[in-house]
Amino acid sequence: MTEKDPLNVVVTGVGGQGNVLISQLIGKALVKKGYHVTIGETYGASQRGGAVMSHIRISRQEQYGPLIPEGQADVILGLEPVETMRVLAQFGHPGVIVIANSRPVYTMAVTTGAAEYPGTEEVARLLGELSSAAWVIDATDIALEMGASILTNIIMVGALVGSQALPLGPEELEAALRDSMPSDKLEMNLTAARRGLEEARTRAAVPS
Amino acid sequence: MSIATGKAGTSELYMGNEAIARGALEAGVGFAAAYPGTPSSEVIATLAEVAKEGEIYAEWSVNEKVAMEVAAAASFAGVRAIVAMKQNGINVASDFLMNLNLTGTRAGLVLAACDDPSALSSTNEQDSRPFAKWADLPLLEPGTFQEAKDMTRWAFEISEEIRNACMLRTVTRVSHARGDVELGELIPPSKEARFTATSPVDFTPYPVPFKHHQMIAKLEKARELFESSPFNRYVGPERPELLVVTSGACWLYSLEAVKALRAGDRVGILKLGTTWPLPEKFVQKHLARTERVLVVEEVAPFLEGNLKELVGGHLADAGQLTFYGKRSGHIPDSGELNPDLVAKALGSVLDLEVEGVSPEYVQKAQQLTGSHTHMRAIGFCAGCPHRASFWSIKNALKLDGRGGFVTGDIGCYTMALGPTGYFQVKTVQAMGSGVGLACGFGNLARTGFEQPVVSVCGDSTFFHAAIPALLNGIYNHSNFTLMILDNSATAMTGFQPHPGIGKTATGETTPAVDIEALCRAMGVRVEVTDPFDLEGTTEKLLELLRDDGGVRVLISKRTCGLVRARQGEPDYRVHIDPEKCRGDACGCARLCTRVFQCPGLIWDAETDRAKIDEVICSGCGVCADVCPAGAIINEAI
Amino acid sequence: MSAELKGPQQLQGEVIDKHLCALCGACVGVCPYLVSHQGRIVVMDECNLSEGRCYAVCPRTSVDFDELNRVVFGVPRPEGELGLVREVLMARAGEGAARKKGQYGGTVSALMSFALREGLIDSAVLTSSDEALLPSGSAVRDEAGVLDCAGSNFVAAPTLAEFNREAVTDAQRIGVVATSCQVLALAKMRTSTLEKRDQIDKLALVVGLFCTWSLRYEDFVGFLREKTDLAEITKVDIPPPPAEVFEVYSNSSCVKLPLAEVRRFIRSTCDLCTDMTAELADLSVGSAEGVPGWNTLIVRSETGAELVKKAVADGAIETAPLPEENLEHLKGAALNKRKRALRNIIDKSGSSEDLLYLKLSEEALERLLA
């Protein structure tokens, strides 16, 4: 399969979910493989609950700018459902691949009762309609099962690699984790990544 | 893995700021200083991380003027130094800068100026580049992460060659973005620092006209160096229909835009890395290729103006030239750029359509997602003491009844402009300006002014800029209350230490300056309160509002919620008794979720009751005092 | 019930912002949005409800005297300057502490003490002031408590906030001593469909006070502070015309201030009040002009009549016939206040069709002025 060049990946979520960690993990692994990688982050007051977006440009040939043009995301990895939808509307196109976490982080409008959050089924349906393939992964639930919600983003990276949407294999992801995780946290993170991989392989995509 | 461990010849994924730091290390930098400011903070933070092993000195200065001064001292003593700041920092440092440029530097001194187009994390989007022209200093604009590193290294050489500071200007999309960078060799810093004045005025701007003349000659020297710089290059046909002249982050956008329009045979791109002084011969050579020029830059039409100035000085040779850019409206006059905007501008000049996503998809996407993707508001974290402080401020001002208001400042608490802080903050400009404005409002009594004024500032802001303003208020007997929101953190920019914390940038212990003692020493009435004591804080503030005997200071003191969360178990396990909760009925009308608005409190539309989000709740227990029904229960842990 | 149901935003717009608020306190203490502070009602935050208890109980929204009389007395308001009346007497406290501490005849203190003693009520909501002369409601359960609250300082007090608070305690039969606007609010509370019945039904006795006006706290106290030491004040009084003074007593002296200066601090809502004798109470009490040491006592309801009968039998109070000229004078004064108020209301609204908060048919208006 000829690789698309540049391959444009958007990782999105809410501040504090570990967007930056994911994009760095992927970026470093790809640089090691000899790709040119550019990562642009949009985070204003990210820790204060705002939306976060990382634009990852992957190319064999040249360095691309840190902002993906509208409608040109090839892959969207969403750590949060509404943020995934927001990114899809701006950067998606009929051929995009979407992998989204099912667990919402409610906006203030929702927690104060001023707005409603869409249900999981509706989210899945929407994602399916606006992509060529979409997977909804219960990453936060799996992470809580494993004992730490903080593992959510690693599970999602595992799912991304498992979907084979990136020129990155499972061994390369594991190597990247070994390089960046402190030794006492490594095993847990490796397990989380493997769980994500499995989810992507075994789950059916949402009908589009 | 740090920026000091990467081996020469290998490629690593670096943030632009990290690349700048690495470039400085590769130039043998020995001294680094900054005040935190997005998007510049990582430059010095990264150097501070490797300070010990790299045997360099790195500090968080109290403000950018001092940062520039300490770095200049290093340069005067023969040590290569780098100072970094966001665009507003240049304003603070400018008085010193406009004296330093006349004084001249000795060892290389690089000023990394990191701008924030679209003010993603700022109060303005000023373009710092005109400072270089104003100060007669050379200006470099890296367009990639590799250039960020290589141009920083080169900047030290330029600075030493001309014996003046060299400015390196980036934007958020270079400073905070990441890309692969091929690393060079590290050089250890000089170990022979010594201050030697060779004349009575050696390290001064005197005599000014003479040194001014010298300064201009230095700039000419830089211009000659720039004529042959590899950071300036042309890509495109011999005689392009349109010449794009660009710099900085806009270069990669321009390349991508030309590709998207498939116009590579019609459009040439002149990318300039040295944008002041312009390498005039080089530029004129490329301008001669064409009759149409589109200048792509952000944020001000700086490059455009200088190009026109250049052409205007050689009108006889100019030929036919039409300029497009910000002045013609092809490039938006405000906000940051991106490949879509550049493509649109190019398309408009060349009469080409950009191939976008099918309109059916766009419409479908809007229809399906529009109602769900409302703005995700930012706000104070669960457990933030500022939420509690502003709740008390709101209550005190309401009870006081004289139409009092709050002048604000820069920090997390700036968010009190919005619902998270009950819309209390009414003014925001520069660091320390809230106190300055309060001094003014507080001296309007003889013109009929009767409203009580509260000025809020954080602990870091206090040290940065509020002290002179406070002194002014005391000295000029102004009538206002300064509420210092002391959460022992420079939180918004990433928890860099400051003089009240007791730790330096490199982790050493140092005496912590006591804000309360400092204010008392200034001779002003000082009260201290715990913001989590809502009733007590409201009462104290109410009393202070009525005391119009000069400035009063109320220190609202409690550790930042995020810092507290890292320290250990929360204070309480909080839950809501659904029997007692009044919900949206008369008697409550959802006070906790709708008005108090802590993200740990959620409105459950199914049960018509409020409930606690256990993942987000920090266990601070403040909401229990807000609930009118006693339905929120704190269990001590 | 025909009363309009509106919410706190309308309360703010129609009453508070228009300076109609009487500071009765009926809206205070039931929700976090309305509090009283230093003689003002403060709206702390925006309540988004379109229907609220606060609007329903306010004496300056939607007042239909016939409806209120029906709820309190079982009949619409009759013709006459003083509203529904069974008897008008003179009264004073029997020998004892109440007579000494009372403003005029000590009748109110004596009646409340008696009612508590006999268990006719188990809690009395009265009004008292702190050292800075700020008055507020005070719930007492015994005679000593009653005597602590004796006397008036003519400053408006949010007394009903204390009733609201007391109504959710273990008190079962609550008596309230209230001025006309507060009495009006209590009647509205009995009428409102938004009230919690288990709270308002605890209201067992309402003793109204004659009232021509009350003062704005902050301005008035600011003025007093310039004239005397607040902490020394033991009592204030307004002697009957033609004195035209406001007397401020301390242990050592009595300062007489020109009444005209004090009148500057009258709450603007008092100019729009039609009810001098607290018509919707069980009993209404005021001074007896020209008869020092005695009160005028209007008996209105069955409850009021029972209480007076028992109190007289016990010796807690004495009664005597009210001189005819006093009664005529009282009626004249009540009618004048009413007429003045209606004139002021029409001036303020700009039209005789718009009576602001009064919901009166033409017929009812005629009866009111008869």
Side-chain angles (χ1 to χ4, degrees):
Chain A
M1 182 180 92
T2 39
E3 273 180 3
K4 180 173 178 284
D5 197 307
L7 184 68
N8 297 326
V9 180
V10 180
V11 180
T12 184
V14 175
Q17 286 194 298
N19 241 41
V20 175
L21 187 69
I22 292 183
S23 59
Q24 284 205 60
L25 216 54
I26 298 172
K28 288 191 177 149
L30 287 167
V31 166
K32 226 171 170 181
K33 269 184 104 162
Y35 285 89
H36 285 293
V37 176
T38 304
I39 306 175
E41 324 261 16
T42 305
Y43 49 71
S46 72
Q47 282 263 274
R48 316 305 178 253
V52 179
M53 241 196 332
S54 302
H55 286 200
I56 309 175
R57 323 293 305 278
I58 303 161
S59 168
R60 277 273 179 218
Q61 293 158 21
E62 57 189 279
Q63 192 101 46
Y64 278 83
L67 296 173
I68 298 172
E70 291 186 349
Q72 295 199 21
D74 299 302
V75 185
I76 296 175
L77 184 70
L79 300 178
E80 203 280 337
V82 156
E83 294 315 313
T84 312
M85 287 198 282
R86 198 193 306 278
V87 168
L88 244 187
Q90 198 182 0
F91 297 99
H93 61 91
V96 72
I97 295 172
V98 178
I99 305 163
N101 182 19
S102 56
R103 174 70 87 110
V105 175
Y106 297 113
T107 59
M108 285 312 290
V110 170
T111 64
T112 62
E116 270 180 32
Y117 200 95
T120 328
E121 264 137 47
E122 193 184 346
V123 170
R125 186 183 61 86
L126 286 177
L127 299 181
E129 283 218 41
L130 294 171
S131 63
S132 69
W135 286 270
V136 178
I137 314 275
D138 300 317
T140 307
D141 295 339
I142 297 172
L144 287 172
E145 213 188 287
M146 290 180 64
S149 67
I150 209 172
L151 293 169
T152 306
N153 60 343
I154 302 295
I155 294 168
M156 290 301 285
V157 164
L160 176 62
V161 169
S163 75
Q164 301 188 308
L166 289 187
L168 209 60
E171 322 74 42
E172 284 152 337
L173 174 60
E174 296 209 353
L177 282 167
R178 272 178 224 286
D179 272 342
S180 46
M181 290 291 152
S183 45
D184 58 337
K185 301 257 158 60
L186 183 58
E187 264 323 297
M188 206 162 58
N189 280 286
L190 287 173
T191 314
R194 284 178 205 133
R195 287 293 301 271
L197 258 156
E198 230 185 276
E199 283 292 311
R201 284 183 184 149
T202 56
R203 231 168 221 270
V206 174
S208 56
Chain B
M1 264 304 230
S2 74
I3 57 160
T5 52
K7 286 207 170 53
T10 62
S11 270
E12 301 268 345
L13 188 70
Y14 268 33
M15 184 197 279
N17 284 346
E18 291 171 343
I20 293 173
R22 172 75 191 202
L25 286 178
E26 289 178 8
V29 76
F31 198 101
Y35 178 80
T38 309
S40 71
S41 312
E42 293 81 1
V43 177
I44 263 59
T46 313
L47 287 171
E49 270 169 39
V50 303
K52 257 218 190 85
E53 60 183 284
E55 293 180 311
I56 64 175
Y57 176 79
E59 77 167 39
W60 288 121
S61 308
V62 166
N63 61 44
E64 293 86 348
K65 176 166 178 283
V66 179
M68 180 117 241
E69 288 155 354
V70 303
S75 162
F76 291 169
V79 177
R80 286 188 163 183
I82 184 167
V83 57
M85 56 193 68
K86 66 182 292 162
Q87 74 273 21
N88 307 87
I90 307 244
N91 305 339
V92 175
S94 62
D95 196 9
F96 182 69
L97 188 60
M98 297 307 281
N99 281 274
L100 180 64
N101 59 352
L102 292 168
T103 309
T105 55
R106 305 297 180 267
L109 175 58
V110 174
L111 162 55
C114 310
D115 288 353
D116 184 10
S118 275
L120 299 170
S121 314
S122 302
T123 55
N124 70 11
E125 57 170 356
Q126 78 182 53
D127 189 329
S128 295
R129 296 176 297 164
F131 260 106
K133 185 170 178 180
W134 191 39
D136 292 303
L137 294 173
L139 172 69
L140 306 176
E141 288 188 64
T144 66
F145 316 95
Q146 187 70 51
E147 288 196 340
K149 182 185 78 66
D150 296 341
M151 285 168 102
T152 302
R153 198 175 54 207
W154 185 45
F156 282 98
E157 289 165 29
I158 297 171
S159 172
E160 272 174 18
E161 183 75 34
I162 68 171
R163 282 166 65 95
N164 219 339
C166 181
M167 186 162 146
L168 181 97
R169 184 259 195 173
T170 65
V171 294
T172 307
R173 301 302 179 188
V174 172
S175 272
H176 272 177
R178 287 168 214 271
D180 45 293
V181 176
E182 196 183 306
L183 306 179
E185 289 288 346
L186 293 174
I187 302 179
S190 144
K191 291 284 187 209
E192 287 163 8
R194 187 166 174 77
F195 178 79
T196 314
T198 57
S199 85
V201 291
D202 197 3
F203 288 94
T204 74
Y206 303 122
V208 173
F210 174 71
K211 295 238 173 128
H212 186 179
H213 179 74
Q214 258 194 346
M215 180 173 74
I216 293 174
K218 290 179 180 184
L219 201 62
E220 277 311 304
K221 220 172 174 186
R223 189 194 306 280
E224 274 160 50
L225 290 172
F226 290 172
E227 291 286 0
S228 56
S229 165
F231 295 112
N232 302 324
R233 68 187 99 121
Y234 175 77
V235 159
E238 188 60 36
R239 305 207 66 80
E241 214 179 296
L242 174 69
L243 177 68
V244 169
V245 183
T246 185
S247 65
C250 300
W251 179 43
L252 291 180
Y253 306 156
S254 302
L255 282 171
E256 192 157 0
V258 169
K259 241 196 207 140
L261 287 167
R262 287 187 248 270
D265 52 341
R266 297 168 68 185
V267 178
I269 302 180
L270 177 64
K271 170 247 196 258
L272 291 174
T274 65
T275 44
W276 188 257
L278 282 175
E280 293 185 350
K281 297 196 196 85
F282 176 82
V283 170
Q284 282 179 291
K285 186 175 88 189
H286 291 287
L287 285 178
R289 293 178 186 272
T290 189
E291 288 182 354
R292 300 209 286 171
V293 177
L294 170 65
V295 187
V296 179
E297 61 180 326
E298 55 189 358
V299 173
F302 174 70
L303 185 51
E304 184 178 334
N306 294 331
L307 286 172
K308 288 173 176 172
E309 199 180 291
L310 173 61
V311 168
H314 297 89
L315 273 177
D317 312 325
Q320 291 276 64
L321 265 182
T322 308
F323 278 92
Y324 305 92
K326 293 204 171 225
R327 293 261 188 243
S328 66
H330 286 81
I331 302 283
D333 60 10
S334 51
E336 67 168 352
L337 291 182
N338 57 47
D340 295 298
L341 288 169
V342 180
K344 191 158 165 233
L346 264 175
S348 160
V349 175
L350 293 174
D351 208 17
L352 285 174
E353 277 281 332
V354 183
E355 247 178 70
V357 189
S358 73
E360 296 84 45
Y361 181 90
V362 173
Q363 206 186 41
K364 188 160 91 159
Q366 246 316 296
Q367 263 168 12
L368 289 177
T369 67
S371 60
H372 299 306
T373 52
H374 52 262
M375 259 283 289
R376 186 174 287 273
I378 56 172
F380 297 129
C381 308
C384 175
H386 295 333
R387 172 175 291 107
S389 290
F390 283 105
W391 186 257
S392 295
I393 290 174
K394 163 186 72 75
N395 289 345
L397 288 176
K398 273 261 153 73
L399 291 171
D400 177 88
R402 289 178 288 164
F405 60 94
V406 178
T407 61
D409 220 298
I410 313 245
C412 282
Y413 51 92
T414 312
M415 292 193 287
L417 286 165
T420 195
Y422 320 111
F423 305 97
Q424 290 304 293
V425 165
K426 297 289 191 255
T427 72
V428 182
Q429 282 76 31
M431 297 279 286
S433 290
V435 188
L437 283 173
C439 285
F441 285 122
N443 266 326
L444 286 174
R446 68 194 68 186
T447 52
F449 192 86
E450 283 173 346
Q451 296 154 272
V453 180
V454 177
S455 162
V456 293
C457 83
D459 40 320
S460 194
T461 310
F462 179 76
F463 288 117
H464 184 289
I467 295 174
L470 175 58
L471 281 170
N472 182 72
I474 296 167
Y475 170 61
N476 284 303
H477 207 77
S478 183
N479 176 12
F480 67 92
T481 304
L482 168 60
M483 194 154 163
I484 301 177
L485 304 176
D486 184 357
N487 59 354
S488 303
T490 313
M492 197 53 134
T493 45
F495 298 97
Q496 296 82 8
H498 65 61
I501 304 281
K503 239 196 189 157
T504 67
T506 43
E508 278 114 40
T509 331
T510 184
V513 178
D514 182 340
I515 295 180
E516 184 185 344
L518 182 54
C519 289
R520 284 192 204 284
M522 286 196 252
V524 72
R525 175 178 172 189
V526 183
E527 305 285 341
V528 182
T529 189
D530 174 4
F532 281 3
D533 173 9
L534 297 178
E535 207 181 299
T537 301
T538 306
E539 258 175 53
K540 275 208 178 97
L541 187 53
L542 248 180
E543 204 239 305
L544 287 171
L545 292 175
R546 294 265 157 184
D547 170 4
D548 51 8
V551 181
R552 294 76 78 195
V553 175
L554 177 62
I555 303 176
S556 183
K557 200 173 163 76
R558 188 171 265 269
T559 312
C560 161
L562 294 177
V563 173
R564 171 70 188 83
R566 278 179 259 163
Q567 282 170 351
E569 281 292 296
D571 289 324
Y572 298 106
R573 195 174 300 116
V574 186
H575 73 274
I576 295 182
D577 179 352
E579 305 281 303
K580 293 201 177 139
C581 174
R582 295 178 187 165
D584 52 7
C586 175
C588 179
R590 295 197 278 116
L591 183 70
C592 69
T593 55
R594 188 179 60 89
V595 185
F596 187 65
Q597 285 201 9
C598 173
L601 289 160
I602 298 185
W603 175 247
D604 185 344
E606 269 165 49
T607 58
D608 269 352
R609 296 279 179 274
K611 66 174 195 229
I612 303 283
D613 181 332
E614 277 143 20
V615 173
I616 297 189
C617 174
S618 73
C620 73
V622 173
C623 54
D625 290 334
V626 170
C627 175
I632 301 182
I633 307 189
N634 293 337
E635 258 175 67
I637 292 188
Chain C
M1 294 292 166
S2 58
E4 266 178 289
L5 288 178
K6 290 191 193 174
Q9 319 263 9
Q10 288 72 35
L11 184 71
Q12 170 107 46
E14 293 173 22
V15 178
I16 299 174
D17 292 344
K18 295 231 159 75
H19 305 291
L20 285 175
C21 174
L23 201 73
C24 69
C27 61
V28 174
V30 172
C31 76
Y33 301 95
L34 293 156
V35 307
S36 81
H37 179 78
Q38 298 286 299
R40 288 173 278 116
I41 298 290
V42 182
V43 180
M44 297 303 287
D45 292 287
E46 198 179 279
C47 169
N48 66 343
L49 297 180
S50 56
E51 279 174 14
R53 182 201 168 274
C54 50
Y55 189 93
V57 304
C58 178
R60 290 293 182 265
T61 66
S62 191
V63 169
D64 177 344
F65 285 119
D66 283 332
E67 184 187 346
L68 295 171
N69 270 269
R70 256 185 240 114
V71 166
V72 176
F73 301 120
V75 292
R77 188 187 181 280
E79 268 184 28
E81 299 90 335
L82 307 179
L84 185 82
V85 171
R86 285 185 187 223
E87 244 193 306
V88 186
L89 306 162
M90 277 206 316
R92 67 175 177 180
E95 286 286 343
R99 191 188 284 184
K100 290 203 190 74
K101 289 206 87 181
Q103 188 77 12
Y104 300 110
T107 307
V108 173
S109 301
L111 282 171
M112 299 313 278
S113 296
F114 173 73
L116 278 171
R117 213 161 53 232
E118 293 296 301
L120 301 169
I121 57 176
D122 58 6
S123 166
V125 173
L126 312 170
T127 304
S128 67
S129 301
D130 64 12
E131 321 79 52
L133 260 55
L134 179 68
S136 59
S138 187
V140 304
R141 307 267 179 121
D142 59 30
E143 178 165 18
V146 172
L147 292 174
D148 280 342
C149 297
S152 165
N153 64 7
F154 304 96
V155 176
T159 308
L160 297 186
E162 185 69 355
F163 171 78
N164 289 334
R165 194 202 53 73
E166 191 71 347
V168 296
T169 64
D170 59 352
Q172 292 301 311
R173 285 175 308 285
I174 305 174
V176 183
V177 175
T179 54
S180 310
C181 47
Q182 294 164 346
V183 169
L184 182 49
L186 285 168
K188 288 201 74 186
M189 282 159 78
R190 283 150 110 169
T191 322
S192 165
T193 51
L194 297 178
E195 283 305 287
K196 298 230 159 66
R197 294 327 302 182
D198 61 347
Q199 288 169 29
I200 189 57
D201 287 350
K202 289 186 184 183
L203 183 62
L205 171 69
V206 179
V207 174
L209 301 173
F210 294 179
C211 180
T212 23
W213 44 253
S214 64
L215 301 170
R216 290 192 310 277
Y217 173 71
E218 273 176 320
D219 296 340
F220 173 60
V221 164
F223 163 76
L224 266 190
R225 270 207 192 94
E226 291 165 17
K227 308 291 183 189
T228 183
D229 184 350
L230 288 186
E232 301 286 300
I233 296 178
T234 51
K235 182 175 130 146
V236 299
D237 190 23
I238 301 178
E244 278 296 297
V245 291
F246 186 92
E247 293 172 341
V248 181
Y249 291 90
S250 64
N251 279 325
S252 47
S253 64
C254 170
V255 177
K256 294 186 208 280
L257 303 167
L259 195 54
E261 281 192 44
V262 172
R263 282 215 174 89
R264 292 177 296 152
F265 306 116
I266 295 175
R267 295 183 75 88
S268 55
T269 192
C270 300
D271 294 336
L272 309 176
C273 170
T274 62
D275 181 2
M276 198 185 88
T277 60
E279 295 184 3
L280 291 159
D282 295 303
L283 299 167
S284 299
V285 182
S287 70
E289 278 202 22
V291 195
W294 283 85
N295 292 104
T296 304
L297 171 64
I298 302 178
V299 183
R300 303 187 189 273
S301 69
E302 178 74 39
T303 306
E306 277 298 306
L307 176 59
V308 169
K309 191 162 127 198
K310 287 191 178 130
V312 167
D314 175 86
I317 64 167
E318 292 170 24
T319 58
L322 182 69
E324 191 56 35
E325 57 184 15
N326 280 64
L327 182 59
E328 285 314 305
H329 189 82
L330 182 63
K331 285 180 176 176
L335 183 61
N336 279 340
K337 180 167 170 60
R338 180 161 288 127
K339 282 183 172 163
R340 254 194 332 264
L342 284 163
R343 244 195 338 265
N344 289 336
I345 287 174
I346 291 169
D347 274 346
K348 196 173 167 89
S349 75
S351 151
S352 54
E353 315 271 281
D354 178 0
L355 296 177
L356 295 180
Y357 68 97
L358 294 176
K359 299 285 173 258
L360 293 175
S361 63
E362 270 203 52
E363 182 272 325
L365 181 59
E366 272 173 39
R367 238 188 309 127
L368 203 59
L369 291 170

